[in-house]
Amino acid sequence: MPTTQRPEAVFTHGQGSWLWSSDGRHYLDLVQGWAVNTLGHAPPAVTQALAAQAGRLLQAGPGLYNDRAVELAARLAGLSGLERAYFTGSGAEANEGAIKLARKWGQVHRGGAHQIITFDNAFHGRTLATMSASGKPGFERLFEPKVPGFPKARLNDLASVAALIGPQTVAVLLEPIQGEAGVIEAEAGFLQDLRRLCDELGLLLMFDEVQTGVGRTGQLWGWQASGVKPDVMTLGKGLGGGAPIGALLAREAVCCFAPGDQGGTYHGNPLMCAAALAVLDAVTAPGFLAQAQQRGEQLHAGLQALARGLGSGPVRGRGLLLALELPQPGQATRVAETLRAQARGSQPGLLVNAVRPERLRFVPALTISAGEIDLALKMLGDALQR
Ligand code: PMP
């Protein structure tokens, strides 16, 4: 079904930061499945974990415990300090679970309060409830009527949040960095103020870390830069390193689900949990995040230099979730197309994402090398010059 515009090329295989199409062309990939392939394409650690698990147990069903899901829940609890975990097949499903948990919590503890304050330009997924929670321009016209109960505040504007709070408010949900909006950071002071406000009023603070989690920002969780710990956190994308898994994590005191409240045939699937365990092993290995952080600084500095040359900027984001603002309308779309289309023969193409028509987003593998970043910056600089 024609749900998005795609180039003609058909992609067949990849290795690390490189991707090949069926016509033999090759590409340096700074999109990585939309910020998914934490360890790049076909990482041996994930490949081996999947192969080994496929030979042991593919699926036991959500009505039975399986060892991989139990192990992953314990790992994530230890790493996040959020004691309870529920696994899903995608980021949107994890957020859908967070919304349900907040509404249940409101029923049990807040006299039926159910409204969740979300933000302009936020992105939380494409189920009906997560589309309703999103503030993506253009979504408001689609698939009416929406799910009610998601008043929108402005990011980094505490007064706009406070103005929406009423007796029906139960939670605040936001991304530590709005990825789809074009890499817009929630300021540390704003997150700290939100934490205080939520504590004073007895509201849940919920972070959507589907894009920022698992090392993407140079630290394991996006919230670590602010020191603000949420009550509920969702993961997806980078958690499985290419295998489709999401997670809903919550403090013990918040976890009020009872049997029958939430479920899904593939939720807690051991194959996907095995992939996530392999990703977490790699990302938490000594030196891994420091290295990714260095690559992020290298890319940031290179983009900053390009921005200075163009008289544009600023470069946005942290770690390996970065964006470059270009001066002309539509320029990011044109540059991304040019860079992809220049693949031929021994000459590679470059895959970057025009997250907005005038803004390029860079979400390479956390394992990208210094040489690959230099090459990407050179190709980008040449294309911008042309
Ligand atoms: N939340 C955020 C912050 C995201 O960036 C995305 C995906 N772009 C989602 C949720 C939805 O995740 P999925 O596509 O896996 O449902």
Side-chain angles (χ1 to χ4, degrees), residues 264-284:
T265 300
Y266 292 115
H267 292 178
N269 172 272
L271 191 64
M272 300 309 138
C273 291
L277 282 164
V279 171
L280 288 177
D281 280 346
V283 171
T284 58

Side-chain angles (χ1 to χ4, degrees), residues 34-36 89-95 122-127 130 134 175 177-180 208-212 234-237 245-246 361:
W34 283 2
V36 162
S90 66
E93 282 177 287
N95 285 331
F123 189 87
H124 298 298
R126 285 177 177 273
T127 63
T130 55
S134 298
E175 303 151 85
I177 300 176
Q178 290 187 335
E180 299 306 305
D208 176 346
E209 293 244 15
V210 168
Q211 190 156 152
T212 50
T234 55
L235 301 174
K237 290 190 184 282
I245 182 168
R361 177 175 52 170

